[in-house]
Amino acid sequence: MASSDEITDIEKGNEMKLHSLSPIEPEDNKSRPEAHDAALDVEEENPSNKFLAWSYRLERMLGFEARGIRRVREDEKTQETTLSFLQVVMMWFSINAAAQNITLASIGQSVFGLGFVDATLCSVLGGTLGTIPVAYTATWGPLSGNRTMVCARFAMGWWPVKLCVVLNLVILIGYSMIDAVVAGQILSAVSENGSLTVEVGIIITAVLTFIVTTFGIKIFHHYERYAWIPQGIVLLILAGAAGPGFDMVSPSVVEGKTLIGNRLSFFSVCLSAAITYAPGAADFLVYCDPQITPRWKVFTATMIGLTLSFTLTFVIGTGLSSGLEANPSWGAAGAGSGALIVAGFGGLGGFGKFCSVIAALGLIANMVAPIYSAGIDFQILGRLPAKVPRFLWNTLGVVIFTVCALAGKDSLSEIFTNFLALMGYWVVLWIVISIEEHFIFRRHSKPTFVWSDWDKQERLPIGLAAFTAFCVGWVGAVLCMSQAYFIGPIASLIGDDGGDMGNYVGFAWAGLVYLPLRYLELKKFGR
């Protein structure tokens, strides 16, 4: 599956050959008409910076994936690098069947005052709706050979997309921080009298994540292909062990308009948990041949993998939360914490502790994906960052989320409710702009997108329409957001706690503004 390939990355400025252990191997030497990106076949030029020269030597010596944001051409995709339908399902199930989703669902009662039925329906339906944009962007990988945020240039433009990249880096590193805290809490709760501290647990998972992500996509896919097996088993064991303690008739403790607002807010939090996969969904599928794995298969497989994993973990989470009052050990652990998962395994004794450790280590699968994407996204920020090898950006991402996890380990519920919903806002704005660009303005173009223009600023949209629509959408989101630190004037009209409508109003406002502005932009600039 791997071969030594001489490649150059146009965005690395120095047009140099990277002798790498690449996870691609061309089927033959015949190039298709659209295969050649500009300036790929140039003579070797050694980097003048000694640190970069050392980094490239280390990259080659250790066999790290050298490809960063350079497009994967059609002639570089093979059957060996293409994931089957079931492999795509397993990849997404593996990534998402994580303990942090259980802890997220458990705050439905403690934060929003919802009973079992309310919390379960809001979480599962919110996660399912949020999965649709993820499945849509995942199809870009095989089709274009470009990473997700590189594809975003075709709608947002060369400069505005950098704002999306920065926001996505916050998501990717923030999610890894949440995972690390949950894993640390589980490992600490399992240890004898808490002898293994949360801090040590965080560092253990961070180191393991660093190892997997550094070697690149080949190791990533091998890891995710099998990680779902132990994760799935321990989740089913948890459901069986803790299920008798679920209070499926527990009522919501709020009523009237407040109940409506809290349902809406919790639904939005769970939607945001799903939709924030969208800005990185294509990153893991760029080596797939679209002739073997067409768009409908990628879309369907992504929907199945994510929906199944969200449903399983969310139901377990709301069930554990519903039994807090009736089970003293669950109540002592508290909702929104990794310790609650350990308490759910409590009736199994030593075997339950073993399962808890597997659940904690299973979070690594959910940390690997965002940190791998973060290493790519750092390079999209500019030509200078693109010169830095991906593994160094991965390392920086791991360091940042580890430090943040150590600092925020005692505020997990607040991070869930404040961070997830806020990050979901910008994603829906970008999604509606991308959808309109694709299905309205590019639908009748032949071809719809010239993917080989990924690095040609002069052939990409100016981005004025997208940036303006993005800003207007943010205004709508702020007016309708309901967070602990701010409740918008429109959101405050729903009940005592407000109702978070930021995702939906922001989506509508951005979509309404983008249509006429994009038409004028095309008429004025022609691109």
Side-chain angles (χ1 to χ4, degrees):
M1 188 170 178
S3 66
S4 181
D5 187 22
E6 294 183 351
I7 60 175
T8 55
D9 198 324
I10 186 66
E11 288 242 349
K12 285 191 175 180
N14 293 324
E15 298 151 334
M16 53 178 293
K17 294 179 183 177
L18 300 178
H19 301 267
S20 68
L21 242 170
S22 171
I24 59 164
E25 187 175 55
E27 285 182 276
D28 49 50
N29 294 322
K30 183 174 75 173
S31 298
R32 302 176 190 179
E34 72 279 12
H36 291 289
D37 293 331
L40 288 179
D41 301 314
V42 294
E43 294 184 0
E44 181 172 358
E45 185 177 314
N46 293 322
S48 56
N49 186 290
K50 291 184 179 180
F51 175 74
L52 288 179
W54 171 83
S55 300
Y56 294 136
R57 284 197 297 271
L58 181 64
E59 189 176 54
R60 294 192 295 269
M61 181 177 65
L62 297 180
F64 298 156
E65 180 192 6
R67 185 186 293 273
I69 59 175
R70 189 177 68 88
R71 177 174 176 261
V72 180
R73 304 190 307 266
E74 294 302 314
D75 60 306
E76 294 178 302
K77 300 177 182 180
T78 70
Q79 187 171 0
E80 287 74 21
T81 62
T82 301
L83 302 183
S84 68
F85 181 89
L86 286 178
Q87 287 173 335
V88 176
V89 172
M90 289 187 292
M91 180 191 76
W92 284 113
F93 187 91
S94 179
I95 289 173
N96 195 55
Q100 59 94 0
N101 285 329
I102 297 176
T103 56
L104 169 61
S106 71
I107 68 173
Q109 182 196 53
S110 62
V111 175
F112 298 99
L114 301 179
F116 175 80
V117 174
D118 278 335
T120 300
L121 289 176
C122 288
S123 59
V124 172
L125 293 176
T128 302
L129 181 61
T131 295
I132 296 174
V134 184
Y136 167 65
T137 59
T139 64
W140 294 352
L143 183 66
S144 70
N146 287 318
R147 310 289 185 166
T148 319
M149 286 289 98
V150 173
C151 292
R153 290 174 173 174
F154 290 85
M156 296 296 298
W158 183 272
W159 291 107
V161 79
K162 297 182 188 298
L163 173 62
C164 295
V165 171
V166 171
L167 292 170
N168 194 40
L169 285 169
V170 174
I171 286 179
L172 297 171
I173 295 173
Y175 260 113
S176 299
M177 173 195 69
I178 291 173
D179 289 338
V181 172
V182 175
Q185 290 175 340
I186 293 174
L187 292 175
S188 178
V190 168
S191 63
E192 193 69 30
N193 298 321
S195 56
L196 190 153
T197 64
V198 174
E199 290 87 344
V200 174
I202 289 171
I203 292 172
I204 290 173
T205 54
V207 170
L208 293 174
T209 300
F210 167 76
I211 293 172
V212 176
T213 55
T214 298
F215 280 90
I217 197 73
K218 181 180 177 182
I219 301 299
F220 169 87
H221 277 308
H222 278 296
Y223 181 82
E224 300 290 1
R225 188 173 299 173
Y226 302 105
W228 69 274
I229 299 174
Q231 290 169 235
I233 291 173
V234 297
L235 287 177
L236 292 175
I237 292 174
L238 177 58
F246 293 178
D247 184 0
M248 297 184 184
V249 294
S250 61
S252 296
V253 297
V254 291
E255 57 185 16
K257 289 185 178 180
T258 302
L259 175 59
I260 294 172
N262 288 8
R263 284 171 175 169
L264 183 59
S265 295
F266 186 52
F267 178 92
S268 298
V269 169
C270 295
L271 181 149
S272 295
I275 203 173
T276 44
Y277 280 123
D283 294 359
F284 320 124
L285 302 167
V286 292
Y287 297 104
C288 295
D289 188 339
Q291 303 300 320
I292 302 174
T293 310
R295 297 190 73 176
W296 73 267
K297 283 188 176 181
V298 174
F299 184 94
T300 306
T302 302
M303 283 293 300
I304 292 174
L306 287 177
T307 301
L308 285 177
S309 51
F310 271 126
T311 300
L312 177 59
T313 52
F314 281 168
V315 171
I316 292 174
T318 56
L320 289 171
S321 181
S322 71
L324 288 175
E325 292 187 7
N327 296 274
S329 61
W330 295 11
S337 71
L340 180 59
I341 297 172
V342 178
F345 283 116
L348 301 180
F351 179 68
K353 290 186 176 182
F354 170 78
C355 291
S356 298
V357 172
I358 298 299
L361 296 179
L363 279 159
I364 295 172
N366 196 252
M367 298 163 70
V368 163
I371 292 303
Y372 175 81
S373 288
I376 303 261
D377 282 4
F378 274 116
Q379 294 184 328
I380 304 176
L381 290 175
R383 298 188 184 279
L384 195 58
K387 294 180 181 180
V388 179
R390 185 192 57 80
F391 80 91
L392 291 179
W393 288 124
N394 275 6
T395 303
L396 177 63
V398 171
V399 171
I400 293 174
F401 87 66
T402 303
V403 172
C404 291
L406 293 172
K409 64 183 186 300
D410 297 323
S411 305
L412 191 59
S413 292
E414 290 81 0
I415 293 172
F416 268 134
T417 54
N418 299 336
F419 168 78
L420 288 182
L422 183 63
M423 285 299 99
Y425 297 150
W426 84 261
V427 179
V428 299
L429 308 181
W430 164 65
I431 285 293
V432 68
I433 290 170
S434 299
I435 290 173
E436 290 187 351
E437 179 69 20
H438 183 180
F439 292 104
I440 297 176
F441 296 103
R442 303 272 188 148
R443 185 175 182 182
H444 299 295
S445 301
K446 300 296 182 182
T448 305
F449 292 99
V450 182
W451 296 116
S452 58
D453 287 346
W454 67 274
D455 62 331
K456 301 176 180 65
Q457 182 178 350
E458 70 280 1
R459 297 186 185 179
L460 296 170
I462 298 293
L464 293 175
F467 181 72
T468 304
F470 195 86
C471 292
V472 171
W474 261 114
V475 173
V478 170
L479 291 174
C480 299
M481 67 188 294
S482 177
Q483 303 298 325
Y485 46 84
F486 179 75
I487 299 178
I490 299 177
S492 63
L493 299 175
I494 307 177
D496 298 334
D497 304 321
D500 187 10
M501 301 179 290
N503 284 318
Y504 324 111
V505 175
F507 182 94
W509 284 26
L512 288 173
V513 170
Y514 184 70
L515 277 173
L517 292 184
R518 180 59 173 146
Y519 173 78
L520 293 174
E521 184 179 62
L522 285 170
K523 188 174 181 179
K524 175 69 175 177
F525 300 103
R527 61 184 177 97

